[in-house]
C-alpha cells in the first residue's frame, strides 16, 4: 500500500492536464471557426455589395438611353447626365466609387466596347471588412421595339400555316393576345423557316437600292454577320412541320451567324429539334407586359388617338367614292406644308411629311399587271380603311436613310397581289396583314394577325429603326438591358 501512495494525485493531475489541453484545443478551434465564419459572412456581404454595384450600373446605363432620345450612346461624353469620357482600352472609374452599403462599400468601373456603342463592360468591386469581391459583366442594351422585327403581331398567325418556302429573315415578336390554351401563335410548314442572316439572295432591286452597310455587314462580338434575330411569343405555341426550322446549326467559319440569338416562347415548340438558338428552346417569354399591342386609337402627342393627331396636322385626303388609287400625274399637297403626295407619268412617287386618307388606299391596279412605283422622300401615310399594295413599291435609293415610307391601315392590308412583287417600307394594319405569292418585302410588318402563303420572303432591315418616318406608330423605344456574360474575378 505504501508503494501506491500518490497515484491518485498523479492521475488527478494528469486528467486535469488533459482536460486543460482539450479545453484549449476546443477554445482555439472555436476561435478559428468564428474567424472563418466571420470571413465567410464578409465574403458573402462583399459579393452582395458587388452585385448591388452591378445592378445600379445597369439601371443608370439603361436610364441614359431612355433619357437621350436623339442619339443614345455610352460613348457620347456623359452617362445619365454625369460626365464620362469613353475609354476603349481599359476600365475607368464610374460615378459611384466607394459607395457605402451594408457595413461595406462598392465601386464600379466601365469599359466601352470599341465599335459597339450599345455594349459595355462593367467591373464592380464590393468590400466588407477586410474582404473584397469583384464581378465582371459584359452587358448590352437593345431596343425591343416592334419596329425592330421582320414581323410582329398582336394575336398571331391568321389563315392557317406559313406555307411553302416562305422565308422570314430577322426577329419575330408575337403577343398572342386572345389565343385559347393549346392554340399556336405561329405555324411553319413545308420548307418555311426563320433566319438570322441574309444568306439567301435579295431581289436585284433590293441590292441596287439598299446601301451596302445596311446589308449583312452587321457583325457581332466575334465578327459573324448577323441580324441579331430573336423569336418571342408571349402566349401560344410554335408549330414546326416538314423541314421548317427556327435558325440553323452554326457552321464555322462561314462568316455568318446561323443560330438565333434567342428564343422566348412560353408555350413551347412541337419540334424542339428544329430550333437552333443560343439559349436553347425552353425559355419562356421574358418581357412581361411592357410591350403593348399597338393601336391607332392610342394617344399620340397629346391627342386622343393617331387619327385625331393626323386629322389636325396632316395633309387630309377624302377621296371620291371612298377609295384613293394612285394614278399618273396625281398631286396632293397640304397648304400648311405638313405633307404631300406626287406621282408622275413614269411611276415616280414623292411622299413627304404625314398624310391622312379618310377611306381606302390602293397602290397599283389589282390584276392589271405588275406596275412599278419608285418612291423618294420620307413620310407616313395613315389610311382610315384598307390598304392594297399591288405590283412593285420600291425606294429610289438610300433605303432607309434617305427614302422610307411607312403606311398604316385602320382596317386590313394586302401586300403583293401580283406574282414576284417587290416591296420596301414599313407596314402596319390594325387588323390583318396578308402577304402571298412570290412577294419579297424589305422592312417590317406589324398587324394584329398575319397570313403568309406560297413563297414570300421578308427581310428585316435593322437600320429602319434609326431612320423612321415622322409620327409612325410604335416609334417609342423600349430599352432592355441584357447581361451577356457574368463572372467572378479572382482577387
Amino acid at each position: 500500500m505504501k508503494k501506491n501512495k500518490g497515484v491518485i494525485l498523479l492521475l488527478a493531475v494528469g486528467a486535469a492536464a488533459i482536460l486543460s489541453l482539450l479545453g484549449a484545443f476546443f477554445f482555439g478551434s472555436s476561435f478559428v471557426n468564428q474567424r472563418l465564419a466571420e470571413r465567410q459572412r464578409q465574403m458573402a456581404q462583399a459579393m452582395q455589395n458587388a452585385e448591388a454595384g452591378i445592378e445600379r450600373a445597369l439601371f443608370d446605363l439603361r436610364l441614359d438611353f431612355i433619357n437621350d432620345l436623339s442619339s443614345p450612346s455610352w460613348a457620347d461624353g456623359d452617362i445619365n447626365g454625369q460626365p464620362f469620357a469613353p475609354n476603349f482600352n481599359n476600365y475607368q472609374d464610374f460615378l459611384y466609387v466607394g459607395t457605402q452599403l451594408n457595413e461595406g462599400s462598392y465601386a464600379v468601373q466601365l469599359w466601352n466596347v470599341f465599335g459597339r456603342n450599345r455594349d459595355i463592360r462593367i467591373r464592380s468591386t464590393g468590400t466588407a471588412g477586410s474582404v473584397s469581391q469583384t464581378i465582371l459583366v459584359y452587358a448590352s442594351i437593345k431596343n425591343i421595339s416592334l419596329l425592330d422585327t421582320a414581323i410582329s403581331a398582336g394575336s398571331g398567325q391568321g389563315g392557317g400555316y406559313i406555307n411553302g418556302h416562305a422565308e422570314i429573315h430577322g426577329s419575330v415578336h408575337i403577343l398572342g393576345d386572345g389565343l385559347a390554351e393549346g392554340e399556336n401563335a405561329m405555324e411553319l410548314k413545308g420548307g418555311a423557316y426563320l433566319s438570322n442572316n441574309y444568306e439567301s439572295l435579295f431581289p436585284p432591286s433590293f441590292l441596287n437600292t439598299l446601301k451596302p452597310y445596311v446589308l449583312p455587314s452587321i457583325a457581332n462580338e466575334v465578327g459573324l454577320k448577323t441580324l441579331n434575330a430573336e423569336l418571342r411569343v408571349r402566349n401560344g405555341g410554335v408549330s414546326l412541320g416538314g423541314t421548317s426550322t427556327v435558325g440553323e446549326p452554326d457552321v464555322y467559319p462561314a462568316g455568318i451567324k446561323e443560330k438565333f440569338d434567342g428564343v422566348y416562347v412560353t408555350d413551347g415548340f412541337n419540334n424542339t429539334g428544329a430550333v437552333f438558338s443560343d439559349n436553347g428552346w425552353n425559355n419562356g417569354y421574358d418581357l412581361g407586359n411592357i410591350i403593348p399591342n399597338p393601336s391607332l386609337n392610342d394617344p399620340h402627342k397629346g391627342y386622343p388617338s393617331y387619327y385625331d393627331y393626323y386629322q389636325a396636322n396632316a395633309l387630309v385626303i377624302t377621296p371620291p367614292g371612298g377609295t384613293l388609287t394612285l394614278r399618273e400625274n396625281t398631286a396632293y399637297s397640304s397648304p400648311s406644308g405638313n405633307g404631300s403626295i406626287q406621282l408622275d407619268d413614269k411611276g415616280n412617287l414623292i411622299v413627304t411629311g404625314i398624310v391622312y386618307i379618310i377611306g381606302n388606299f390602293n397602290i397599283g391596279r389589282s390584276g392589271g399587271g405588275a406596275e412599278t412605283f419608285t418612291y423618294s422622300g420620307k413620310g407616313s401615310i395613315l389610311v382610315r380603311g384598307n390598304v392594297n399594295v399591288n405590283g412593285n413599291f420600291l425606294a429610289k435609293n438610300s433605303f432607309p436613310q434617305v427614302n422610307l415610307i411607312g403606311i398604316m391601315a385602320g382596317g386590313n392590308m394586302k401586300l403583293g397581289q401580283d406574282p414576284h412583287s417587290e416591296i420596301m417600307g414599313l407596314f402596319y394594319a390594325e387588323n390583318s396583314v396578308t402577304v402571298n405569292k412570290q412577294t419579297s418585302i424589305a422592312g417590317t410588318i406589324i398587324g394584329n394577325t398575319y397570313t403568309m402563303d406560297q413563297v414570300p420572303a421578308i427581310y428585316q432591315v435593322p437600320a429602319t429603326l434609326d431612320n423612321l418616318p415622322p409620327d409612325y406608330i410604335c416609334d417609342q423605344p423600349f430599352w432592355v438591358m441584357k447581361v451577356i456574360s457574368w463572372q467572378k474575378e479572382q482577387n
Side-chain angles (χ1 to χ4, degrees):
M1 292 296 291
K2 291 182 179 179
K3 292 181 179 181
N4 293 327
K5 287 182 178 180
V7 171
I8 294 176
L9 178 60
L10 290 173
L11 290 176
V13 170
I18 292 172
L19 291 173
S20 297
L21 290 173
L22 288 174
F25 172 79
F26 285 119
F27 177 79
S29 176
S30 175
F31 179 76
V32 170
N33 287 337
Q34 184 179 8
R35 290 284 301 272
L36 288 174
E38 175 61 17
R39 182 171 178 81
Q40 289 294 327
R41 187 192 71 80
Q42 290 180 350
M43 290 178 66
Q45 186 63 68
M47 179 61 71
Q48 291 178 9
N49 290 348
E51 290 174 339
I54 293 291
E55 292 301 319
R56 183 176 175 187
L58 292 172
F59 177 84
D60 279 344
L61 289 166
R62 177 176 179 269
L63 206 59
D64 180 62
F65 268 65
I66 291 174
N67 292 333
D68 189 355
L69 299 178
S70 57
S71 56
S73 169
W74 294 316
D76 58 2
D78 79 89
I79 292 180
N80 197 21
Q82 300 297 325
F84 187 83
N87 188 325
F88 299 103
N89 299 310
N90 210 335
Y91 288 104
Q92 60 177 331
D93 292 337
F94 189 41
L95 175 64
Y96 22 90
V97 177
T99 302
Q100 297 300 307
L101 179 67
N102 296 328
E103 300 179 2
S105 66
Y106 61 81
V108 174
Q109 296 175 307
L110 303 179
W111 180 355
N112 299 93
V113 180
F114 181 77
R116 300 182 65 83
N117 69 347
R118 294 185 181 179
D119 290 9
I120 200 161
R121 298 179 180 92
I122 309 171
R123 186 173 189 256
S124 177
T125 300
T127 63
S130 61
V131 176
S132 65
Q133 298 273 43
T134 300
I135 298 172
L136 303 178
V137 163
Y138 188 102
S140 180
I141 193 167
K142 185 172 183 179
N143 180 6
I144 308 294
S145 168
L146 299 184
L147 290 173
D148 192 25
T149 62
I151 290 179
S152 295
S155 295
Q157 183 176 325
Y161 296 97
I162 296 180
N163 208 349
H165 196 69
E167 309 169 16
I168 301 175
H169 299 263
S171 296
V172 175
H173 197 146
I174 301 174
L175 301 179
D177 294 340
L179 294 182
E181 184 176 354
E183 283 191 276
N184 289 321
M186 169 177 279
E187 299 186 6
L188 305 181
K189 186 179 179 183
Y193 66 94
L194 309 184
S195 174
N196 196 10
N197 54 64
Y198 292 147
E199 186 176 14
S200 67
L201 293 177
F202 279 98
S205 58
F206 287 4
L207 286 171
N208 294 334
T209 302
L210 287 164
K211 281 193 171 184
Y213 61 81
V214 178
L215 295 177
S217 57
I218 305 167
N220 64 6
E221 57 273 10
V222 294
L224 294 177
K225 296 175 181 178
T226 176
L227 292 171
N228 298 316
E230 297 175 324
L231 169 63
R232 283 183 169 84
V233 181
R234 188 166 67 189
N235 183 37
V238 175
S239 175
L240 302 173
T243 60
S244 299
T245 64
V246 174
E248 303 165 276
D250 281 335
V251 179
Y252 296 101
I256 59 174
K257 190 172 189 299
E258 289 89 358
K259 284 185 178 181
F260 258 46
D261 282 21
V263 295
Y264 308 90
V265 181
T266 299
D267 293 335
F269 301 84
N270 71 319
N271 180 6
T272 57
V275 180
F276 304 96
S277 170
D278 289 345
N279 69 340
W281 53 265
N282 59 347
N283 294 277
Y285 187 79
D286 60 334
L287 299 178
N289 294 315
I290 69 171
I291 305 291
N293 187 24
S295 172
L296 294 169
N297 292 302
D298 292 338
H300 182 65
K301 291 187 175 179
Y303 288 81
S305 69
Y306 280 83
Y307 297 119
D308 295 301
Y309 177 82
Y310 271 67
Q311 180 72 59
N313 296 281
L315 161 65
V316 180
I317 302 173
T318 305
T323 299
L324 173 63
T325 300
L326 286 183
R327 299 298 187 198
E328 299 173 351
N329 298 316
T330 299
Y332 296 89
S333 61
S334 167
S336 61
N338 290 339
S340 67
I341 295 181
Q342 301 176 44
L343 178 66
D344 65 15
D345 58 356
K346 295 181 176 60
N348 296 308
L349 176 67
I350 301 175
V351 177
T352 61
I354 56 177
V355 178
Y356 183 27
I357 300 172
I358 304 178
N360 302 314
F361 183 44
N362 294 332
I363 299 174
R365 295 183 294 272
S366 178
E371 298 177 277
T372 296
F373 294 85
T374 303
Y375 69 79
S376 57
K378 190 165 284 190
S380 297
I381 302 174
L382 173 59
V383 180
R384 188 80 193 195
N386 300 322
V387 172
N388 294 308
V389 180
N390 306 291
N392 304 314
F393 187 66
L394 302 168
K396 184 177 181 180
N397 51 41
S398 301
F399 175 90
Q401 284 75 9
V402 178
N403 301 311
L404 174 60
I405 290 179
I407 302 177
M408 299 169 282
N412 302 315
M413 181 178 289
K414 294 182 178 180
L415 302 174
Q417 302 307 297
D418 295 301
H420 304 288
S421 296
E422 297 172 2
I423 298 171
M424 307 177 75
L426 300 175
F427 305 96
Y428 167 89
E430 191 82 9
N431 298 323
S432 67
V433 180
T434 301
V435 184
N436 56 24
K437 300 185 178 178
Q438 298 83 21
T439 300
S440 297
I441 297 176
T444 296
I445 296 172
I446 302 176
N448 185 43
T449 62
Y450 63 92
T451 299
M452 297 176 63
D453 198 7
Q454 299 182 36
V455 287
I458 315 297
Y459 300 89
Q460 179 188 346
V461 181
T464 56
L465 196 61
D466 297 322
N467 296 275
L468 296 176
D471 297 299
Y472 194 76
I473 197 167
C474 298
D475 61 354
Q476 295 300 308
F478 291 91
W479 296 111
V480 175
M481 291 291 300
K482 289 284 186 179
V483 173
I484 307 301
S485 67
W486 186 102
Q487 70 180 73
K488 178 180 176 295
E489 185 179 68
Q490 297 301 318
N491 293 324

